[in-house]
Amino acid sequence: MRQEEVFKALADPSRRRVLRLLQRGSMTAGELARKFDFSAPSMSHHLSLLKAADLVRTERRGQSIVYSLNTSVLEDVSRFLLDLLGTR
């Protein structure tokens, strides 16, 4: 796990909202963008940071890229935080 990239990605409320949306199921970049009030380049930037942190996975379906939550990285982050807090 790349902790710095993960925590940088999680630091932004919009990116945390993207992850919450993806908890419900996979979505295309366009579907995600319609949930926000910022430009397509801004959405692309947020998705790029989430992908670099390995928090989301991508799959090409035709001309669309579908994003899904990478739960294994989130589980690793949870374990790290629990260890850090000494609650495990």
Side-chain angles (χ1 to χ4, degrees):
M1 170 177 59
R2 302 178 208 152
Q3 292 175 357
E4 289 179 26
E5 289 175 344
V6 170
F7 288 115
K8 178 180 178 181
L10 293 173
D12 184 273
S14 296
R15 290 191 286 272
R16 291 193 305 267
R17 184 171 169 217
V18 167
L19 295 175
R20 282 193 296 276
L21 288 168
L22 292 176
Q23 280 181 307
R24 300 178 192 158
S26 300
M27 299 175 80
T28 65
E31 291 169 332
L32 286 164
R34 286 191 285 278
K35 306 283 186 184
F36 294 87
D37 289 330
F38 42 71
S39 67
S42 291
M43 176 55 76
S44 179
H45 173 73
H46 288 299
L47 291 171
S48 292
L49 287 173
L50 290 169
K51 187 175 177 186
D54 206 24
L55 291 166
V56 297
R57 294 185 178 164
T58 59
E59 177 185 341
R60 181 169 286 284
R61 292 185 193 159
Q63 292 188 353
S64 297
I65 296 177
V66 178
Y67 291 84
S68 59
L69 198 59
N70 185 357
T71 55
S72 63
V73 171
L74 292 170
E75 290 169 1
D76 291 344
V77 170
S78 296
R79 276 192 294 279
F80 170 78
L81 290 171
L82 290 172
D83 287 343
L84 184 67
L85 297 171
T87 56
R88 278 182 28 153

